[in-house]
Amino acid sequence: AAGPALLQVEEVQAYYGLAHVLQGVSLTVQPGELVALLGRNGAGKTTTVKSIMGLVTVRGGHIRCEGRDFVGLPAESVAQFGVGYVPEDRRMFPGLTVRENFRLAGLGSRLPKAEQQAAIGRALQVFPQLEAHLDRDASRLSGGQQQMVAVGRALICGRKLLLVDEVTQGLAPNIAADMGATLRRIADEGHGVLLVEQNSQMALELADRVYVLDQGVVVHRGDAVALRRDPGWMERYLQL
Ligand code: ATP
């Protein structure tokens, strides 16, 4: 029998103060899968990712990674369990070089020093373009390079699972497509990737499976292949 899912979100209820934002969201991600989380602005996509990271209040349901329940754990503990997070605004700390960004991510993983170094080496294999910029202030790189740093940092912590929130926002189409292809490769090499993406068309082309959220509930879930064959799906689920 199959073991526990890499990520299993089950009937999660999440709140901002009194606002009941997620009203029973369930989803799974397996190793090797890229799963897209789609939906209109305000549907609850970012809140779902923040719930997994322990950054919003979850008052019901379960969030399990390989069977271990994360509900109530702080973000540092989630990160130490091998979950990498690329937040919506890429947030480069001004004055920190690319190398320092990666070292901080390594420290956050709490892995032994040699494993931190190995993880940094792997991030640089994924983004070899960053080698030439290791000693530059990351906040002064191009938007696409900053996103490489953000994903690289997440990979250093995220040995198993990556949560990626709107990583292509504001990027030129060819740069966005490159980042999409890189995330697909990361999944093909064994990570689970949960991708929140405004560009639904691109997400659909990259994803194995798709969940569509609306007003804090999953209104559709299915194989990306089936949606790719269904020209009316965007009007139906995203009301674009
Ligand atoms: P977007 O694409 O705009 O980021 P989203 O699907 O990620 O949309 P969320 O950001 O998860 O949506 O927001 C879900 C709901 O929660 C929205 O109604 C939003 O107004 C509300 N919300 C988000 N952040 C907060 C907050 N910090 N305090 C109160 N309400 C919030």
Side-chain angles (χ1 to χ4, degrees), residues 123-142:
L124 286 169
Q125 278 169 7
V126 174
F127 297 111
Q129 305 92 317
L130 292 178
E131 287 274 6
H133 303 298
L134 277 172
D135 293 313
R136 287 184 60 196
D137 181 339
S139 70
R140 309 191 70 138
L141 298 176
S142 72

Side-chain angles (χ1 to χ4, degrees), residues 140-153:
R140 309 191 70 138
L141 298 176
S142 72
Q145 290 165 336
Q146 288 188 34
Q147 288 298 38
M148 291 179 199
V149 176
V151 175
R153 275 188 326 210

Side-chain angles (χ1 to χ4, degrees), residues 16 19 21 39-48 88 166 196 198:
Y16 289 110
V21 174
R40 293 181 289 166
N41 285 340
K45 305 179 299 292
T46 295
T47 307
T48 299
E88 193 166 6
E166 310 236 342
V196 173
Q198 275 302 320

Side-chain angles (χ1 to χ4, degrees), residues 157-181:
C157 261
R159 300 183 302 287
K160 304 170 186 173
L161 179 65
L162 282 192
L163 311 173
V164 183
D165 197 351
E166 310 236 342
V167 75
T168 67
Q169 202 168 35
L171 301 184
N174 61 324
I175 309 276
D178 285 349
M179 180 58 83

Side-chain angles (χ1 to χ4, degrees), residues 9-13 21-27 37 44 48 62 213 216-218:
V9 173
E10 195 183 318
E11 289 292 320
V12 161
Q13 314 277 340
V21 174
L22 298 187
Q23 311 200 4
V25 168
S26 300
L27 60 85
L37 188 55
T48 299
H62 299 281
L213 278 183
V217 299
V218 174

Side-chain angles (χ1 to χ4, degrees), residues 18-59:
L18 292 177
H20 187 184
V21 174
L22 298 187
Q23 311 200 4
V25 168
S26 300
L27 60 85
T28 61
V29 180
Q30 296 292 354
E33 261 196 329
L34 191 152
V35 174
L37 188 55
L38 307 178
R40 293 181 289 166
N41 285 340
K45 305 179 299 292
T46 295
T47 307
T48 299
V49 170
K50 286 186 171 171
S51 297
I52 299 164
M53 285 310 295
L55 297 170
V56 301
T57 311
V58 172
R59 293 215 195 109

